[in-house]
Amino acid sequence: MGALPLFFRLMAASISGQARYPASALLLTLGQFLGTGIEVVAVWALFHRFGEVQGWAIGEVALFYGLVNCMFAIADALGRGFDVLGTEFLRTGTFDRLLLRPRPLALQLMGHDVRISRLGRLLQGLLVLVFATVQADIAWTPGAVAVALFAMAGGIALFLGILVLQGTLSFWTVESLEIANVLTYGGVQAAQYPLALYAQWFRRVLTFIVPLACVAYYPALVILGKPDPLGAPAWVGMVSPLAGFAFLAAAFGAWRIGLRHYASTGS
């Protein structure tokens, strides 16, 4: 069986298991929608109080918010196996069982627990994108749609890479470190606002170390047809999402190093 058919079978099995308790799945999804809704209210309150912030209107910032939350929702649904690697696999010894299967290890982890509840955050992100379209009068031309989809793919790869790094740390710590949450949830928060609002050192972090600006800020400028206040040329947003795939590749490089340091729990 090929990799993709296997992944879809694992994903279907995970979703089927959650669907046996529809009320629970619905409440968890609703909880994700409402819980992250507080962030939407906070952004709205900021712009309702101050109007534009350094030349950025609420509709433009809503585009950042919508894109980033859609990216993270999908990556979080796919990467939960890496998130719980230490507690559910390494500590219990069931990781050895995954290693013995003649199937890609990363694929098994990605299909382990595809959470339906992440649809709540995804739906909210899509609704905010609709709001951004109306408020900022975004023209979704074929080019803008292509840039948005490319940015989404790069963003999913980036956030998945962060989750892979979180799982990699578990080979040494078993328990995931809080720094991983700084990069995931903290990264979502940081990428929801224009890069120009941050200090120079933090802009460099978001561009060259954890390239969140490359998958959100620069592509959003292209979609909005807005020049970069920091001076980057317009073409940057058309290629910058590649940084997300590069980050994922580097994360899997670290993952392979972690695997080499793994010592089985034995019997």
Side-chain angles (χ1 to χ4, degrees):
M1 181 181 295
L4 277 179
L6 173 63
F7 171 72
F8 286 126
R9 287 190 64 178
L10 291 172
M11 183 174 68
S14 175
I15 294 174
S16 176
Q18 296 168 67
R20 293 177 185 176
Y21 306 95
S24 175
L26 180 61
L27 288 174
L28 288 172
T29 303
L30 182 62
Q32 278 272 316
F33 182 86
L34 295 177
T36 54
I38 297 174
E39 300 172 9
V40 179
V41 174
V43 173
W44 174 84
L46 174 66
F47 283 87
H48 179 71
R49 174 66 179 83
F50 297 104
E52 292 189 354
V53 177
Q54 293 189 15
W56 295 89
I58 186 172
E60 295 169 334
V61 174
L63 178 63
F64 293 102
Y65 182 99
L67 285 175
V68 169
N69 277 273
C70 287
M71 297 169 187
F72 181 63
I74 297 172
D76 196 26
L78 296 176
R80 181 163 172 77
F82 295 99
D83 188 21
V84 299
L85 177 64
T87 54
E88 292 192 15
F89 291 100
L90 298 180
R91 178 176 290 179
T92 61
T94 54
F95 188 68
D96 293 352
R97 186 174 61 191
L98 299 185
L99 290 171
L100 292 173
R101 292 174 180 169
R103 294 292 184 269
L105 182 59
L107 198 68
Q108 294 182 65
L109 289 171
M110 287 176 64
H112 165 67
D113 190 11
V114 181
R115 305 302 297 176
I116 296 176
S117 61
R118 273 43 180 185
L119 289 174
R121 183 185 283 267
L122 178 61
L123 176 59
Q124 184 199 95
L126 292 172
L127 290 175
V128 173
L129 284 177
V130 173
F131 172 81
T133 299
V134 175
Q135 288 290 315
D137 195 25
I138 299 173
W140 287 106
T141 62
V145 171
V147 169
L149 292 176
F150 186 34
M152 284 279 292
I156 293 167
L158 173 59
F159 282 114
L160 188 57
I162 294 173
L163 291 170
V164 170
L165 288 178
Q166 180 175 342
T168 302
L169 288 174
S170 299
F171 289 120
W172 287 276
T173 66
V174 179
E175 294 285 353
S176 296
L177 299 179
E178 284 301 315
I179 190 174
N181 290 330
V182 171
L183 294 177
T184 50
Y185 295 101
V188 170
Q189 292 288 332
Q192 289 174 178
Y193 295 95
L195 188 67
L197 300 183
Y198 298 117
Q200 186 180 44
W201 70 269
F202 195 51
R203 294 200 298 265
R204 290 175 178 171
V205 170
L206 295 180
T207 303
F208 301 109
I209 300 178
V210 184
L212 288 159
C214 295
V215 300
Y217 176 72
Y218 294 113
L221 290 177
V222 175
I223 296 169
L224 292 168
K226 188 180 179 78
D228 181 17
L230 302 174
W235 60 264
V236 170
M238 299 180 184
V239 299
S240 61
L242 290 171
F245 298 101
F247 187 90
L248 179 60
F252 272 118
W255 167 261
R256 287 189 287 272
I257 294 173
L259 275 177
R260 288 199 293 268
H261 283 78
Y262 171 68
S264 173
T265 57
S267 58

